[in-house]
Amino acid sequence: MTKAATVYDVADRAGVSIATVSRVLRMPDAVRPVTRERVLDAVSALGYVPSGSARGLAERRTGVLGLYFPGFDAAEEAPLLDVLAADGAPTHPFTIVHDEATDVESHPSMLFLDEVLRGAELEAWKQGFVLMIGVGRDDPERSTVRDMAGRVDGLMVLASSVPDDVLARLARRIPVVVLAGPPRGDRYDHVTVSNTEAMAELTRLVLAQSDGRPPVFLAGPEDSPDGMQRWEGFSAAIVEAGIPIDDVTVLRGDFTRASGRRAAEELIAAGLPSALMSANDQMALGALDVFRAAGVRVPQDLLVTGFDGIEAAALSTPQLTTVRQPMIELGRAAVQVLARRLEQPDTEPVFVRLPLEITLRESSLRRR
């Protein structure tokens, strides 16, 4: 058997350093064309296949970036082996179910995180990194994220998903980028969006169509950084309009469609406001479910708005006014910031804030 070529063989044949070989394979655009072609010719001639462990030894890096999310889907599924016969065929080839409306739904945060993950994966591939995903299901000790930190060159975490003391310890070992949360006197790089400004402007647009009564605000969980920023934007616009903040009714939800339904039922019982502004789309869509069933006309009887820009908002009846988050761009930007930090470890922390897009649709456009 012929001995496999190594990175040292490629470097020797091309007349370059092993670091240059690695750079060509990971970020070819960063290398001069003449050098790049010489290295690629050597790779082809030798049949070299990059080794992750060898690359890590040469550069003292793993070539892997970590993305850590908290766990949301607590329901457990039956093991696949339990429903397979001895020959591997399913014991029941198909199942007939009655599709009835229930409160069972995917956690709304997963709609957001799926898109962030997609953007991070695309950018990691472009930058020449592998992306490792960690999900902290039932992990009060945060052992998952600590284990990830020993296997990656840098780590991206969702704001408030890792306790401050744990994150501080991890940041002493590897670079950390915090997603969807503003700096809080820390030294991490941050990538977030303009939650406060966008919600303030949406509130002004709603107030311009109101009958003088303040909108009801359907807030998210108290520990949500995004939810808090959206409340800050809403309340700032309310005060700016000369409305006492104590006159505003605030309902508390948990970002799920079911909590939006409960809020709508409460409003119908108490008397409809001029508008319902929700801290996310899922709760607003749940409210629309109840209003439609009860014969409440949106936007004629009240305006309804959401936040996030998920696909379902464009498919609802009526279509939901929302603020679209650049979810894919958020993931891509986080990887770009982390890759830059690895190349320039001693520069000051950066704070990247991506713009949002207010999308006006039927649910907030009252015809005069």
Side-chain angles (χ1 to χ4, degrees):
M1 180 180 295
T2 304
K3 182 180 178 181
T6 69
V7 67
Y8 298 98
D9 297 327
V10 174
D12 183 62
R13 185 181 181 101
V16 298
S17 69
I18 58 173
T20 299
V21 173
S22 179
R23 195 175 300 112
V24 167
L25 296 175
R26 288 180 50 207
M27 295 181 291
D29 292 340
V31 181
R32 289 185 305 171
V34 173
T35 304
R36 181 172 66 235
E37 290 304 315
R38 196 161 70 243
V39 171
L40 292 177
D41 287 344
V43 167
S44 177
L46 295 172
Y48 171 66
V49 177
S51 163
S53 58
R55 184 173 63 242
L57 288 173
E59 298 186 346
R60 296 193 178 186
R61 292 186 184 174
T62 64
V64 180
L65 303 180
L67 179 58
Y68 177 81
F69 290 148
F72 296 113
D73 49 338
E76 293 191 5
E77 300 177 0
L80 181 61
L81 294 180
D82 288 353
V83 295
L84 297 181
D87 61 358
T91 54
H92 301 287
F94 59 86
T95 303
I96 298 175
V97 299
H98 293 280
D99 187 9
E100 299 176 352
T102 69
D103 279 345
V104 177
E105 56 184 298
S106 298
H107 195 285
S109 292
M110 293 310 297
L111 301 173
F112 167 79
L113 297 181
D114 284 347
E115 292 296 285
V116 174
L117 171 58
R118 181 182 172 204
E121 191 280 327
L122 287 170
E123 189 62 29
W125 173 80
K126 180 180 177 182
Q127 297 271 354
F129 290 97
V130 173
L131 189 65
M132 177 185 291
I133 310 301
V135 181
R137 295 187 182 90
D138 299 321
D139 187 13
E141 301 301 321
R142 298 303 191 275
S143 58
T144 300
V145 71
R146 288 203 302 268
D147 185 52
M148 284 182 68
R151 301 166 182 257
V152 299
D153 295 328
L155 187 64
M156 297 164 282
V157 301
L158 193 67
S160 299
S161 64
V162 179
D164 292 343
D165 60 330
V166 175
L167 199 59
R169 288 198 298 272
L170 298 180
R172 287 197 288 268
R173 297 168 53 191
I174 57 174
V176 167
V177 174
V178 177
L179 284 159
R184 298 185 300 166
D186 55 61
R187 297 285 297 172
Y188 314 129
D189 293 321
H190 285 257
V191 179
T192 187
V193 295
S194 304
N195 280 299
T196 304
E197 295 82 356
M199 181 58 90
E201 183 59 25
L202 179 60
T203 304
R204 295 184 192 105
L205 294 171
V206 168
L207 288 172
Q209 298 193 74
S210 73
D211 55 10
R213 294 176 297 157
V216 168
F217 187 75
L218 179 51
E222 294 183 7
D223 62 351
S224 165
D226 282 343
M228 288 186 287
Q229 290 178 345
R230 292 167 195 176
W231 162 253
E232 289 169 2
F234 170 85
S235 58
I238 291 292
V239 172
E240 175 188 288
I243 301 172
I245 199 66
D246 290 342
D247 290 353
V248 174
T249 297
V250 179
L251 304 178
R252 180 71 64 181
D254 60 4
F255 282 160
T256 65
R257 197 159 180 156
S259 67
R261 295 187 192 113
R262 291 190 293 270
E265 291 167 353
E266 185 175 337
L267 290 178
I268 291 173
L272 294 176
S274 64
L276 172 64
M277 300 191 67
S278 173
N280 84 331
D281 286 344
Q282 285 285 81
M283 294 191 296
L285 292 170
L288 287 180
D289 292 340
V290 170
F291 291 146
R292 186 167 54 250
V296 174
R297 300 170 303 161
V298 177
Q300 294 90 335
D301 297 332
L302 85 162
L303 310 180
V304 177
T305 65
F307 204 110
D308 278 341
I310 64 174
E311 184 178 3
L315 304 175
S316 63
T317 304
Q319 290 181 314
L320 179 66
T321 286
T322 185
V323 178
R324 191 191 77 81
Q325 289 213 67
M327 294 172 276
I328 290 177
E329 293 88 343
L330 192 65
R332 298 195 76 146
V335 170
Q336 291 171 2
V337 168
L338 193 52
R340 185 187 308 165
R341 175 61 56 196
L342 289 167
E343 295 299 322
Q344 302 173 17
D346 299 324
T347 56
E348 287 296 305
V350 298
F351 174 41
V352 177
R353 186 167 60 182
L354 302 178
L356 300 177
E357 177 184 278
I358 298 174
T359 305
L360 300 177
R361 299 194 181 110
E362 297 169 296
S363 70
S364 71
L365 298 177
R366 182 175 286 151
R367 295 181 177 85
R368 297 186 181 276

